[in-house]
């Protein structure tokens, strides 16, 4: 089967960079938008091919999800050999359990919809729920961008810095950074109040007099990072804080929150297009990681060290 990269509109720059790593160009695709908001995607040259559909489902999340479903259907109807969805940022992944009666499990609905529309496999990067495969009917590979980010952080990180997980959910990720950077791990105790606000209840670990590296899977409104910086300063940490996250979703008021003077370095990847952001932000590309994974999947080789649990 011929390998084809198909780019949705969510992050064409990333899809093109992935294709370039594989010495090819994305297959022709376009998405027409009707005056009432309906989308009509068209793909070319996918018949019989091993298709990798690159579409992170970041903001506007629902438009990008619908476009992805329509692209999948278009590939299936054009008799693609097999289709893998490459959604490095997977929207709705945080809705992984019912916190109160009457709620849906968003991640399950998304995974089922992709499978129904024709996805044979799903590739994501540092998903909010590391065990995402458990809710997906199709084989799912969770890649990690932590080595890419740690590599970018290494030179500037003071020797006595601590790696800080801003909540319990980020501890596994923080341990991965800590292993690669040879630094100890500290955790902030956090409770989410609303989509934009969180409450913190102190630290587990010692930060007094030390610089810190705050790590998370994503920064959305910046509320988690903002609250964690307050806790670190209250615990006596130095006003010398770096922040690293795989997904820079960065919706309002993230840029303002990340612009506080104690934060001197913000590192994210390009799973999502990086337009506006704080002055101190650096962007690392995950195109080589995705291209490596796609090449291995195409050749039926294991992903091993590229995966979250490796
Ligand atoms: C939640 O548990 C996630 O891991 C992130 O901490 C959260 O989504 C970040 O969102 P925000 O930047 O809006 O606090």
């Amino acid at each position: 089967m011929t390998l084809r990269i198909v780019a949705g509109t969510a992050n064409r720059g990333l899809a093109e960079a992935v294709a370039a790593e594989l010495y090819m160009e994305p297959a022709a695709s376009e998405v027409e938008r009707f005056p009432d908001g309906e989308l009509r995607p068209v793909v070319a040259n996918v018949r019989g091919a091993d298709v990798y559909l690159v579409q992170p489902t970041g903001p506007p999340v629902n438009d990008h999800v619908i476009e992805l479903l329509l692209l999948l259907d278009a590939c299936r109807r054009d008799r693609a050999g097999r289709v893998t969805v490459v959604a490095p940022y997977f929207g709705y992944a945080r809705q992984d359990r019912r916190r109160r009666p009457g709620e849906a499990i968003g991640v399950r609905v998304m995974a089922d919809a992709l499978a129904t529309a024709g996805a044979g496999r799903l590739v994501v990067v540092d998903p909010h729920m590391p065990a995402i495969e458990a809710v997906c009917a199709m084989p799912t590979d969770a890649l990690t961008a932590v080595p890419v980010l740690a590599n970018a952080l290494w030179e500037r990180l003071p020797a006595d810095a601590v790696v800080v997980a801003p909540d319990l959910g980020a501890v596994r990720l923080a341990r991965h950074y800590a292993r690669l950077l040879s630094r100890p791990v500290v955790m902030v105790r956090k409770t989410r109040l609303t989509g934009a606000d969180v409450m913190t209840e102190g630290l587990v670990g010692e930060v007094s007099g030390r610089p810190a590296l705050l790590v998370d899977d994503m920064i959305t409104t910046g509320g988690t990072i903002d609250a964690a910086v307050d806790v670190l300063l209250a615990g006596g940490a130095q006003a010398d804080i770096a922040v690293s996250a795989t997904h820079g979703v960065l919706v309002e008021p993230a840029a303002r929150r990340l612009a506080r003077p104690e934060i001197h370095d913000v590192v994210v990847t390009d799973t999502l297009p990086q337009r506006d952001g704080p002055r101190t932000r650096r962007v690392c590309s995950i195109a080589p990681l995705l291209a490596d994974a796609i090449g291995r999947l195409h050749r039926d080789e294991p992903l091993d060290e590229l995966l979250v649990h490796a």
Side-chain angles (χ1 to χ4, degrees):
M1 272 192 286
T2 313
L3 192 160
R4 289 260 188 277
I5 304 293
V6 172
T9 61
N11 195 348
R12 275 199 194 275
L14 177 64
E16 282 163 10
V18 170
E21 291 279 334
L22 293 162
Y23 305 101
M24 55 173 58
E25 288 187 3
S29 64
E30 59 185 67
V31 179
E32 187 179 354
R33 179 180 283 276
F34 288 91
D36 63 358
E38 281 188 16
L39 304 173
R40 182 165 64 184
V42 183
V43 291
N45 298 326
V46 296
R47 185 158 303 180
D50 184 17
V51 174
Y52 294 82
L53 188 41
V54 181
Q55 175 83 337
T57 53
V61 178
N62 298 330
D63 272 12
H64 287 148
V65 167
I66 292 294
E67 182 191 323
L68 175 56
L69 295 173
L70 294 171
L71 279 166
L72 276 167
D73 190 64
C75 289
R76 186 176 54 172
R77 288 178 195 282
D78 221 13
R79 284 181 270 156
R82 67 177 183 183
V83 186
T84 297
V85 168
V86 181
Y89 173 77
F90 193 57
Y92 285 94
R94 280 178 294 182
Q95 296 189 37
D96 56 3
R97 74 193 104 122
R98 281 162 35 101
R99 289 176 176 80
R100 56 182 178 184
E103 286 190 348
I105 300 180
V107 65
R108 177 66 194 259
V109 175
M110 291 305 127
D112 285 353
L114 294 185
T116 304
R121 188 171 202 102
L122 173 64
V123 175
V124 296
V125 179
D126 289 325
H128 182 66
M129 180 193 185
I132 190 168
E133 185 156 28
V135 298
C136 293
M138 70 207 111
T140 301
D141 301 301
L143 309 179
T144 181
V146 171
V148 175
L149 291 161
N151 196 39
L153 291 157
W154 179 259
E155 274 197 355
R156 297 193 194 178
L157 197 65
D160 56 343
V162 289
V163 176
V164 183
D167 57 27
L168 185 60
V171 169
R172 182 203 51 78
L173 192 78
R175 286 203 179 117
H176 193 179
Y177 276 94
R179 211 167 52 239
L180 296 176
L181 296 167
S182 307
R183 305 292 198 283
V185 176
V186 168
M187 186 192 90
V188 175
R189 290 162 59 211
K190 170 192 110 176
T191 308
R192 179 163 288 286
L193 302 174
T194 66
D197 291 298
V198 298
M199 184 181 81
T200 51
E201 297 158 280
L203 283 162
V204 179
E206 188 48 64
V207 298
S208 186
R210 302 181 75 159
L213 167 65
L214 264 165
V215 301
D216 210 347
D217 56 335
M218 67 176 91
I219 305 171
T220 309
T221 66
T224 300
I225 295 298
D226 196 36
V229 170
D230 287 341
V231 174
L232 286 171
L233 296 176
Q238 280 184 27
D240 179 4
I241 296 171
V243 175
S244 179
T246 302
H247 311 291
V249 186
L250 303 183
V251 297
E252 276 303 305
R256 176 174 59 72
R257 283 172 163 167
L258 293 170
R260 53 187 297 179
E262 301 87 356
I263 300 178
H264 67 269
D265 194 14
V266 178
V267 185
V268 295
T269 76
D270 56 355
T271 56
L272 296 168
Q274 292 299 308
R275 297 183 190 102
D276 306 317
R279 187 178 36 82
T280 50
R281 181 192 44 179
R282 293 190 281 149
V283 181
C284 303
S285 183
I286 54 147
L289 169 69
L290 293 180
D292 189 358
I294 288 170
R296 293 191 198 195
L297 289 171
H298 179 64
R299 298 187 300 270
D300 273 332
E301 292 172 6
L303 299 181
D304 289 344
E305 77 281 4
L306 308 185
L307 296 172
V308 160
H309 292 293

